[in-house]
Amino acid sequence: MLWSAIRPHDYFTWFLEVFPVFIALPILFFTYKKFPFSNLIYVLILIHAMILMVGGHYTYAEVPLFNWLRDHFDLGRNYYDRIGHFAQGFVPAMIGREILIRKNVLKEGKWLFFIVCSICLAISACYEFIEWWVAVASGQGADAFLGTQGDVWDTQWDMFLALIGAFIAQISLKNWHNESMQVLKS
């Protein structure tokens, strides 16, 4: 966080991009004794926070490694934004899955998978609304936050990648996540 805050692209964009970290940390701190998450979830949250902090420091459209990839492979844009939105589905999917299972809201199965994906789509849509509201409220000052890079379908891509992230997280981490939650019961 400290590195991210030192001379970012601009502080307005930095604040907007890292704000979810400022929301998550107190929630995790105050709920730790009543509802500690599995170690897997804490690692995923850390990775997601790092993605947000890098994006906040450079802006998602200007992350240097992804500028190099764009230029080297003659891509049309800096794709770091896409990684951020993929993570926006991947990590909340596992958090939602853990809450729904451990609070006995749903058992494993098709409904859990569907509800978790729906939650992730709702989170992604809400984030797109926030981007829109910031753009309306601040005018041109939100260009770095929006990061559309001239793509008229950027909002749809963002939500689609969050959905793909939710699918892949649940499919690829299901067994590891179940084992990680078992440790909490011991």
Side-chain angles (χ1 to χ4, degrees):
M1 182 65 80
L2 180 61
W3 166 83
S4 179
I6 296 172
R7 290 181 289 169
H9 179 268
D10 69 82
Y11 280 102
F12 178 66
T13 303
W14 175 83
F15 177 76
L16 293 172
E17 298 293 3
V18 301
F19 189 70
V21 178
F22 291 128
I23 293 171
L25 286 178
I27 292 171
L28 292 171
F29 179 78
F30 288 114
T31 61
Y32 181 76
K33 287 191 182 203
K34 266 192 157 174
F35 192 86
F37 283 105
S38 63
N39 289 337
L40 174 61
I41 296 301
Y42 287 122
V43 168
L44 291 173
I45 290 170
L46 175 63
I47 292 168
H48 195 195
M50 291 168 35
I51 290 168
L52 292 170
M53 289 183 279
V54 169
H57 183 78
Y58 294 109
T59 80
Y60 280 83
E62 296 298 330
V63 173
L65 173 61
F66 287 79
N67 277 343
W68 177 84
L69 290 169
R70 177 198 62 211
D71 297 342
H72 186 74
F73 293 107
D74 198 27
L75 304 172
R77 64 177 290 141
N78 180 313
Y79 281 99
Y80 190 76
D81 175 65
R82 303 291 198 230
I83 289 173
H85 286 282
F86 177 85
Q88 190 182 63
F90 194 96
V91 177
M94 299 314 293
I95 295 169
R97 183 179 189 277
E98 184 155 325
I99 292 169
L100 292 171
I101 290 172
R102 288 187 44 216
K103 289 291 186 177
N104 296 314
V105 176
L106 288 167
K107 295 179 200 160
E108 283 193 64
K110 294 174 187 173
W111 277 109
L112 176 66
F113 192 91
F114 173 75
I115 296 297
V116 166
C117 287
S118 297
I119 290 168
C120 292
L121 275 176
I123 290 168
S124 182
C126 286
Y127 195 80
E128 295 303 319
F129 285 145
I130 291 167
E131 286 184 351
W132 169 56
W133 292 331
V134 168
V136 169
S138 63
Q140 294 294 350
D143 287 348
F145 178 55
L146 288 173
T148 60
Q149 301 178 65
D151 183 357
V152 297
W153 301 109
D154 186 69
T155 300
Q156 290 79 9
W157 270 110
D158 292 349
M159 291 186 289
F160 177 69
L161 286 165
L163 177 62
I164 296 299
F167 266 82
I168 290 174
Q170 291 185 88
I171 291 168
S172 65
L173 296 181
K174 176 185 171 185
N175 293 336
W176 188 8
H177 189 217
N178 289 344
E179 290 173 17
S180 186
M181 287 188 291
Q182 284 296 337
V183 172
L184 293 172
K185 292 179 182 178
S186 310

